[in-house]
Amino acid sequence: MAEMRRRLDELRRPSGPQQRAQRALYAAAGVGLVGLLVLPLLQDQLQVNDFLFFFITASMITILVTTALNLCMGYTGLLSIVHTGLFGVGAYATGILATQAHVNTWLSMLLGVVAATSAGVVIAAVSLRARALYFGMITLTFDLIIAGVATNGGRLTGADTGLFGVPQPQLAGNDLGTRGFYYLTLALTVLTLLAVRNLMRSRTGRSFMAIRESADTAAALGIPAYSTQILAFAVSATIAGAAGAVYVTLNGFVTPQSADLSGALILFIGVLLGGTATVIGPVLGIGVIATIQHYMEVTAPNYQQLIFGAVLLAAMMLVPAGIVGTWKRSRLGSLEEPEPPSSPIGNLVEALPAERGPALRLTGIVKRFGGVLALDRVDLEVVTGSIHGLIGPNGSGKSTLVSVATAFLRPDEGSVELFGEPGPRRPHLTARRGMVRVFQSPHIFERLTVLENAMVGLHLESRQRLPASVLRMPSFERDERRLRGLALSRLEEVGLRQIAMRPASVLSHGQKRLLEVARSLGARPRLVILDEPATGLAAHEVLALAALLRRLKRLGLTLLVIEHNVPFVMSVADRVTVLNEGRVLIEGEPALVQASSEVREAYFGTLEAAGE
Amino acid sequence: MTDGLAVQDLWVSYGSAQVCQGVDLAVPEGLVVLLMGANGAGKTTILRTIMGLKRPASGTVSLRGRDITGWPAHRVVRAGVALVPEGRQVFPEHSVEENLRLGGYSHRRDRAGTRRRMREVFELFPVLEARRRQHAATLSGGEAQMLALGRALMSRPALLLLDEPSLGLSPLLVQQVFEYIREMNRRQHLTVLLVEQAAAAAIGIADHAYVLDVGRIALGGRASEVARDPKVQEVYFGASEKTAEVRS
Amino acid sequence: MGSIVWSGLVDGAVFALLALGFNIIFSTTRILNFAQGEFLALGALLSYSLTVDHHLPVPAVLACVVLAMVAMGLVVERLVVLPIRLSGSSYAWIIATIAVAVTAENAMVVPFGRDPVRPPGLVAGNAFTLSGAPESWQTVLIIVAALVIVGLYEAFLAFTIYGRAFRATAHSLDITELMGIDTGLVIKASFVVSAIITGIAGVLVAPVTFADTSMGLRYTISGFVAVIVGGMGSSLGALVGGFLLGLVTAVAAVKISPGWANVIAYAALGLVLLLRPNGIVSRAAVH
């Protein structure tokens, strides 16, 4: 509610051309929706035939499946070629229950959706053994299997000719009818789009997008990649299954062609032509494509497919960013989201209980890559509440050591202890144990806003549940406000508050670095590992970074800083470890380390010769 | 300037990030020029833009007076420029000899010339001849670096661009690599543009040096003069001064 | 049983050639070409038209098909690579290649019509009988041709400078450019080589099956499954995946039911993927 009021306030305020354009768009969408609502009432006056309603209903069903695909592919980065199959599972399960088990049609539809969801969970769980392209190819195999079962299911599925005679659901003793289906599908589409929008603006949606950008980084922030991807796929399968259930009861039949690959093209086009990872993209994409297809069915039935293919190729080249993407890049469409309201600002880091002993202790770590010995019995102890510097020439094993400490790599020998207990076994568990890693090159979620980036960092902090997020319940709103406040306070601390609503991709290298530090604080870490934080920063940015690190230390955090920039490390660290060729060369206070002749030889090499 | 390489007012961006902001650079023929700067200052981007792997937003790159801006990389290579990329990037599934032959692709019809050139590379790096049939993936870091150097030489360049050749090598090897570079420069009159983080070691073999600071050339001139600049001393050789203080 | 295995091997040989075609384009562009089967369809239909309608001798038919494939390879390369480059989307290839497939399939209806056709074999007569069933010389030719073509392609990769350039392009476009190699040209060449190999597979298979304009998608899917199971980027994998798919399908068709054969084959091969997610002969991880 509060958000809606804010939006209304926004709209009332006098404004520039971008705001006016946005208002015009909202108005057009509103008019369109009202038009769709009242169209059946004006049928006689406008002299439209029933076919138009059927066409709009069918298009909305396609929009639903496309939205489902967009959730997978656009938002979560999972290439799925099984969405027509999931649609088919929903349709066939509904049809079989209604015609052969004589289950009530409404109940059949519900169970059909459940079947699609279950199929989605199984397919994702299996396919996620592979990544990226191979994931997509395995889902394609599933699609072939689903279509094959439908073709060969004998009387159960109606084989080649398909399943016929599926009864319509009843409403007050009558069949739902064309208008009834029209309104049912319209309601389902609008609610689904709203649900997706709400979902993508919650902790769950942000974790989908974070995984799309980088599964490793997401894991480092405490997001379990595997189960989150399965969740995304399951939600997506549910939407596709619902579309199938409506489709089969509307038409009264379903054929194997509905489930096979041939229907997939329009879905991909819908996503890409409309605009990937946008809520309204599938609506626009399918709207355009369905209209072209419909028009060609009438005018050029023989060359329909040929022209269709050619139009597609042309569209790919003319609107490569999709309709929504192209609009957002245009002058009128480049409106920044309004600055969030000033929420109560939380503490940067909660006061930490005083602890004794080492925060991190690595003992006798050995790591080989093939025949190369990357780490040779390395010991490292990071005292709680200190800044510990780790330096060494390139290739000395610093990054490998950090990967071992954060469970990205498993050591061949040796042990990792974190706050007196055995180290975590999986990367996403490190964050839960109070250790976060800030990567060497900024691992920012580029396509998320600065604020969203900071909020993904608060993943473990959030108490949002999926249903509450989708329904925007008060508990969600409260939690979201709290998270936003915490995120903003962290952005404030590193000086990025003013640009919180910008996409992270436009930040400078130094700003990305700072954002990553701010984001890593979200997980309430006790130990932060910074991998070459000063790299690529301008001189004044390095000074700001040093000040920030000292401030974090005063708040009770322990910091492990891996660096190249020796003067920087020497200026902030309490203790320094020097690594060389996979071994610890020396460990001690900065001054002591600098004085060591071994270090000079290994690290500063020919410096003296050059100095003259 | 008509000889050597000249970069004028080069602007390059990645997305919305301006990585090069008006860079001017000259590499006179026959000299070794060092380009130094912090990580992320834009050094690699400059090399990639010279090679044609990255299109500049504006500015020109000219070679011996000829404007080569926007040429595709394979054409720049045929014009006599070779790049040894950061991290070596040898073809791991090709044998050492195949890597070298690929380096000589532009002269593939001149079989005798290619054979002669390969012999020269083997003379310079005898270890490569010993490993000639091995997959490049099996080479150690130092050997891979030599292979990357040798592969670049196979295209018979007049100008060699080197991106962080010392990366991941032990100090002893670093010195060796720099000696090779100096030797190739003297023996074959090879012009070299060297990008190096380990500036202290590299400046010893450089004739001229430039300092790049966040997309701009902050300083340029004779290597010895650049090395004496107090600011450079502080930023690049800072550790040595402090070490010296502690020691005394 | 002997004749079942033989027919499985014949189908498998065609799948293997398709899988090889996929591999060639995939290795230089990281694109899985959904229009791959259309090369095969054009090869098959063109060979029928030239042999039966225009009475050309076999060598002339082959020459014409190769020329047509060079042209089609170049056209498809432009239609696929240009939209991808322009759009910059990591999924653009899916639409581009499917759109090319749809366009090609429907464009072929114009000269060839929709009726299934079956040209005479390139070589006539029966070679031998297996468990009572005669096997034609054409089937022998298909298997031999598949093995020879895969062998020739591997030799090309291993022993020629251009083959090395192909492999280098598969590893990294930028680094290959640094060798002075025009990678744009290599990509064009990969489309042409892939089209020729797949088109010849079409010429070979047309006499033992029926050719029609819709055959492209069917073979695209079979080739896909073969290449996925065999392992992307490996010629040996293409052979293994192709023959395995052919054999499993043939045996299942006879022993269980013709209708379920494909489903069973896909399910069985899906199981293989569970054990080896990157294919049987996996070379490098695919990203």
Side-chain angles (χ1 to χ4, degrees), chain B residues 42-63:
Chain B
K43 303 178 309 257
T44 298
T45 304
I46 292 178
L47 294 189
R48 287 178 61 84
T49 311
I50 293 171
M51 283 312 297
L53 291 174
K54 172 83 195 151
R55 268 179 185 279
S58 68
T60 57
V61 179
S62 50
L63 184 69

Side-chain angles (χ1 to χ4, degrees), chain A residues 24-42 53 56 60 63 182-194 280 283:
Chain A
L25 278 188
Y26 278 131
V31 169
L33 188 57
V34 170
L36 284 174
L37 278 172
V38 301
L39 188 61
L41 307 176
L42 300 174
F53 292 104
I56 296 176
M60 286 191 295
I63 288 171
Y182 175 83
Y183 280 119
L184 172 69
T185 320
L186 183 60
L188 197 58
T189 309
V190 171
L191 290 177
T192 303
L193 292 177
L194 277 178
I280 208 72
V283 180

Side-chain angles (χ1 to χ4, degrees), chain B residues 13-140:
Chain B
S13 57
Y14 280 97
S16 53
Q18 283 285 348
V19 185
C20 294
Q21 306 168 9
V23 170
D24 291 301
L25 201 69
V27 185
E29 220 144 277
L31 298 191
V32 175
V33 176
L34 171 68
L35 178 61
M36 50 189 177
N39 256 334
K43 303 178 309 257
T44 298
T45 304
I46 292 178
L47 294 189
R48 287 178 61 84
T49 311
I50 293 171
M51 283 312 297
L53 291 174
K54 172 83 195 151
R55 268 179 185 279
S58 68
T60 57
V61 179
S62 50
L63 184 69
R64 294 173 166 164
R66 190 147 64 134
D67 186 356
I68 61 164
T69 323
W71 282 20
H74 62 90
R75 231 181 119 193
V76 177
V77 173
R78 285 171 203 174
V81 188
L83 167 69
V84 179
E86 189 178 352
R88 302 180 269 283
Q89 308 267 13
V90 294
F91 295 110
E93 291 184 23
H94 287 68
S95 69
V96 167
E97 183 177 335
E98 283 181 318
N99 267 281
L100 294 176
R101 285 193 181 281
L102 279 170
Y105 185 85
S106 322
H107 307 280
R108 61 192 176 281
R109 292 205 181 81
D110 175 14
R111 281 162 192 264
T114 300
R115 225 171 300 130
R116 205 175 323 120
R117 193 67 170 187
M118 202 180 296
R119 253 201 318 278
E120 286 171 19
V121 170
F122 285 150
E123 258 168 48
L124 199 57
F125 307 113
V127 62
L128 292 184
E129 183 157 30
R131 308 218 184 286
R132 132 183 231 170
R133 307 242 170 266
Q134 264 174 296
H135 274 193
T138 64
L139 299 184
S140 74

Side-chain angles (χ1 to χ4, degrees), chain A residues 230-254:
Chain A
I230 290 183
L231 175 66
F233 208 87
V235 173
S236 175
T238 308
I239 299 172
V246 173
Y247 171 89
V248 72
T249 47
L250 167 70
N251 288 299
F253 70 89
V254 56

